[in-house]
Amino acid sequence: MKAIKLVGAGLLALAPMASFAAAPGYVDLYYIPNSSVEVDTFPSFDDDGDGFGAKIMAPVSSWGVLTGEYQSAKLDDTDVDVEQIRFGLGVL
């Protein structure tokens, strides 16, 4: 709960800068048709599966953007779920 409040406070602090944005932001949703894992050590195995993801880019000023990405893939033969979360700051 504390992390949600911290993220909310950060977004509120950055909100005034969004009015000076030079470019519109975007949301990108995508499907991962083939996600595979190969392990060569003993015991060796390979597995594949599929998943989905989402990317967002939001301008915060005329020179900067915030980016974020979430990606999840579920492998078929094992009960392994691979999830990744990325955040970034870009300069236009």
Side-chain angles (χ1 to χ4, degrees):
M1 187 64 151
K2 188 175 185 179
I4 293 173
K5 289 181 183 178
L6 183 61
V7 170
L11 290 175
L12 280 175
L14 294 173
M17 287 188 268
S19 63
F20 298 108
Y26 68 85
V27 174
D28 182 18
L29 303 174
Y30 56 90
Y31 172 68
I32 305 166
N34 186 13
S35 178
S36 62
V37 173
E38 294 181 19
V39 177
D40 293 331
T41 61
F42 183 79
S44 63
F45 72 92
D46 60 347
D47 196 359
D48 62 349
D50 61 349
F52 66 93
K55 289 189 258 184
I56 185 170
M57 189 274 296
V60 293
S61 70
S62 61
W63 56 266
V65 295
L66 290 177
T67 61
E69 181 175 1
Y70 173 78
Q71 182 174 324
S72 176
K74 180 164 178 62
L75 302 177
D76 293 336
D77 297 336
T78 60
D79 290 332
V80 175
D81 292 334
V82 179
E83 293 185 354
Q84 298 178 349
I85 299 174
R86 298 181 185 105
F87 295 103
L89 178 65
V91 177
L92 296 175

